[in-house]
Amino acid sequence: MRFMPIVQPSFSLQLLTAGLRGHPPPEAQWPSVLKVASRSWLSPALYVALARSSRLDEAPADVRDYLDFLHERNRERNRRLREQLVEAVGALNAQGIELILLKGAVHLFCAPAEILGARMMSDLDLSVEPEEMVQARSALERLGYRDVGDTRGMGRSGAVALIEMRDRPSKRVRRYLLRDLRAASYSVEQVGTVARVPNSTCRAIHLIVHDMIKEGDYWRWRMDLRHLHDLAELASAAEGIDWHQIAATLSDRIGRGALEIQATALHHLFDVPTPPELRGGMARLVHVGRVFSGAGGVIGASVRVAGNIRWGFQKLTTAHAYQWQGGRDFIQRACRVLLEPPKGSRL
């Protein structure tokens, strides 16, 4: 695979993504690979990929035991998450609501038993129509769910995760996601309940827009390797991804830039055959910066600070994202943006 030279920081990333394609790394490199896998919430996925390719026995015994332990614990968690999701979907179905599943909820609802434990997730993302939101929240409240603090989620005692229900995209990404998602989704049945799953192209658009624009990775030079893995799996599935449709949807400067950066990362790290016209020179440079940002050290810290400054400037100059509340408030917000560490599975 031809690509511009990228020095040492990308080596562990490439070894991990090769493992996620079923090719275990050399024995001496396992510690660094496991470190990146743990940071990016991909250890269970690595176990499943090696097991499915019948290459798990090529890993050292202690590595196999470690990955097996993490996978088993995550599979049990996902089994409980699936029960929680099916219960919630059933409660909404009883009110005549056929909700749309987003991100990890699709995996939970649709994955066969042998790969149920592959994906780590922190919450359940569901979408309903605006006119259904009050009724949907009432259905969850009857199951014991309540609003949780400053989050957008609803939780209950003993539940594995929060449920986040959305009835429209946030203002930052509305221009890219205002199309009719329901028309681009299909119904799936699970244990007597029915939910809708967006097609692969719509799911890819949502992942790109969520990470790059909503979470600011386009400006911050950060990378969610777990979501890149999701995109790689969508691209390699039978349905595939319509890259031309995505390019038509993300057609403005920021949208096109976000798409090119993700397409470049997929090609370099997962060997996904993304269209060459989506892997421009600037996207390659940004990808190199993201690799360094996730690698740690002085250079990585410097790149992260520079990215946080860009992200902070973007937020301050966006009318809906910031309202002046005085000098002290400005300083507090600025410090939070500049010092904010990567969240979740982000590198």
Side-chain angles (χ1 to χ4, degrees):
M1 178 177 58
R2 294 182 179 180
F3 194 82
M4 65 178 295
I6 298 181
V7 292
Q8 187 65 27
S10 72
F11 189 53
S12 296
L13 282 176
Q14 289 178 286
L15 289 176
L16 170 58
T17 54
L20 291 166
R21 300 196 304 275
H23 307 294
E27 182 170 343
Q29 300 298 332
W30 271 107
S32 59
V33 169
L34 292 178
K35 180 179 179 180
V36 179
S38 178
R39 285 180 59 196
S40 52
W41 296 14
L42 283 169
S43 299
L46 179 59
Y47 175 89
V48 169
L50 295 176
R52 294 178 75 178
S53 62
S54 301
R55 310 272 312 259
L56 193 59
D57 288 342
E58 298 180 29
D62 56 341
V63 171
R64 292 198 305 271
D65 291 343
Y66 174 72
L67 290 177
D68 178 69
F69 171 77
L70 291 178
H71 171 257
E72 286 301 313
R73 295 300 297 269
N74 192 60
R75 183 168 66 174
E76 173 59 23
R77 185 177 190 274
N78 282 359
R79 185 191 64 78
R80 295 174 59 199
L81 269 173
R82 176 183 276 183
E83 292 177 354
Q84 182 182 350
L85 176 60
V86 168
E87 179 191 41
V89 172
L92 270 63
N93 286 169
Q95 302 301 313
I97 299 172
E98 190 176 349
L99 71 161
I100 301 175
L101 304 174
L102 303 175
K103 297 193 296 183
V106 175
H107 174 83
L108 284 177
F109 205 73
C110 302
E114 60 268 21
I115 65 169
L116 179 62
R119 195 182 193 280
M120 296 181 70
M121 58 195 74
S122 58
D123 51 32
L124 301 173
D125 292 286
L126 314 177
S127 175
V128 298
E129 298 297 324
E131 63 271 16
E132 297 173 334
M133 178 59 83
V134 172
Q135 195 174 12
R137 287 179 58 85
S138 296
L140 291 184
E141 288 172 354
R142 284 192 289 273
L143 293 177
Y145 287 89
R146 298 292 183 269
D147 289 328
V148 177
D150 295 330
T151 73
R152 292 170 297 183
M154 299 180 70
R156 72 177 180 190
S157 177
V160 185
L162 299 181
I163 293 179
E164 291 196 8
M165 279 197 306
R166 309 171 187 277
D167 60 2
R168 69 197 68 191
S170 66
K171 291 181 180 179
R172 189 182 299 280
V173 300
R174 193 166 295 172
R175 72 179 73 175
Y176 308 107
L177 301 178
L178 268 182
R179 53 185 314 221
D180 187 0
L181 184 60
R182 187 167 294 272
S185 62
Y186 52 90
S187 295
V188 176
E189 184 175 349
Q190 180 69 252
V191 197
T193 66
V194 180
R196 299 189 70 86
V197 173
N199 65 39
S200 292
T201 298
C202 283
R203 288 160 63 188
I205 291 172
H206 185 266
L207 285 171
I208 293 170
V209 170
H210 175 274
D211 287 357
M212 300 299 288
I213 300 173
K214 181 176 182 293
E215 296 296 326
D217 290 356
Y218 174 81
W219 295 274
R220 295 196 292 181
W221 294 322
R222 288 185 179 170
M223 180 191 312
D224 193 321
L225 195 64
R226 179 180 56 133
H227 285 170
L228 278 173
H229 180 240
D230 290 340
L231 286 169
E233 292 200 318
L234 288 172
S236 62
E239 183 182 345
I241 293 175
D242 186 341
W243 294 105
H244 298 292
Q245 180 181 336
I246 297 179
T249 302
L250 307 182
S251 58
D252 65 356
R253 180 182 61 84
I254 292 176
R256 178 76 179 199
L259 171 58
E260 290 182 353
I261 293 166
Q262 294 296 71
T264 300
L266 285 169
H267 181 66
H268 174 224
L269 295 175
F270 289 94
D271 209 16
V272 173
T274 53
E277 65 270 19
L278 296 181
R279 305 195 300 267
M282 183 57 66
R284 292 186 176 195
L285 290 174
V286 175
H287 174 60
V288 173
R290 296 207 300 170
V291 168
F292 274 100
S293 176
V298 175
I299 295 178
S302 301
V303 174
R304 287 195 300 275
V305 170
N308 284 344
I309 291 173
R310 294 180 74 231
W311 175 232
F313 181 78
Q314 167 66 19
K315 294 179 74 174
L316 288 173
T317 55
T318 304
H320 66 258
Y322 177 77
Q323 293 180 347
W324 178 259
Q325 297 178 16
R328 183 176 180 181
D329 173 74
F330 173 80
I331 293 173
Q332 290 175 339
R333 287 172 179 238
C335 289
R336 281 199 300 269
V337 169
L338 289 175
L339 302 177
E340 182 181 15
K343 297 188 296 183
S345 55
R346 225 165 229 93
L347 296 177

